[in-house]
Amino acid sequence: MDLAKQAKIVDSIHDTLHDFVGQRLKVRANMGRSKIVESEGVLMQVHPQLFILEVDRKRGRTARQSYQYVDVLTGMVELSQNGEPLFEPFVPENPLADTPAAVDEREEETVLS
């Protein structure tokens, strides 16, 4: 995926989230090393590079978390509302599956089989 296409997708994520300001969203963030954080909160602000959620904590407390649009683009952060994802995956599950080398390998496998 080239940079121009990525920039357009990030802009569309920003525009979409701008419409959800003030609404409750569920966030599932991959923090690395098999650590996945799930939280629910209100989308407070959208900025050019990131968005801010005010999430619920124990005993009625809240905390603010910020995420980058690029993390949504790469699938590291997933957003949903009422169980419905706001965005479909932008990056294919197996990005190497349709490269010319992979296609050649599949063709060779079918010929040899």
Side-chain angles (χ1 to χ4, degrees):
M1 185 180 318
D2 63 0
L3 290 177
K5 186 174 181 181
Q6 290 177 2
K8 287 181 183 180
I9 293 172
V10 168
D11 288 341
S12 72
I13 294 169
H14 173 270
D15 294 342
T16 300
L17 287 181
H18 194 274
D19 296 336
F20 285 93
V21 171
Q23 296 184 32
R24 290 192 71 77
L25 299 176
K26 188 170 189 175
V27 178
R28 186 172 193 268
N30 183 343
M31 305 303 279
R33 295 191 175 211
S34 301
K35 183 177 179 183
I36 295 178
V37 176
E38 292 185 356
S39 54
E40 190 170 334
V42 177
L43 180 62
M44 298 303 290
Q45 298 172 344
V46 291
H47 296 281
Q49 300 297 321
L50 56 90
F51 58 96
I52 299 173
L53 283 165
E54 191 169 274
V55 297
D56 305 328
R57 294 286 185 216
K58 294 180 181 177
R59 298 186 186 119
R61 293 186 173 196
T62 59
R64 289 188 170 218
Q65 295 177 342
S66 63
Y67 300 98
Q68 296 181 356
Y69 303 114
V70 174
D71 293 332
V72 177
L73 170 70
T74 59
M76 299 300 285
V77 173
E78 299 172 6
L79 298 167
S80 61
Q81 186 178 45
N82 301 325
E84 295 293 322
L86 295 183
F87 304 101
E88 295 296 322
F90 297 103
V91 179
E93 290 293 321
N94 188 357
L96 300 176
D98 292 326
T99 60
V103 171
D104 289 342
E105 287 178 15
R106 285 190 300 236
E107 288 175 0
E108 287 178 16
E109 288 175 6
T110 57
V111 171
L112 297 174
S113 297

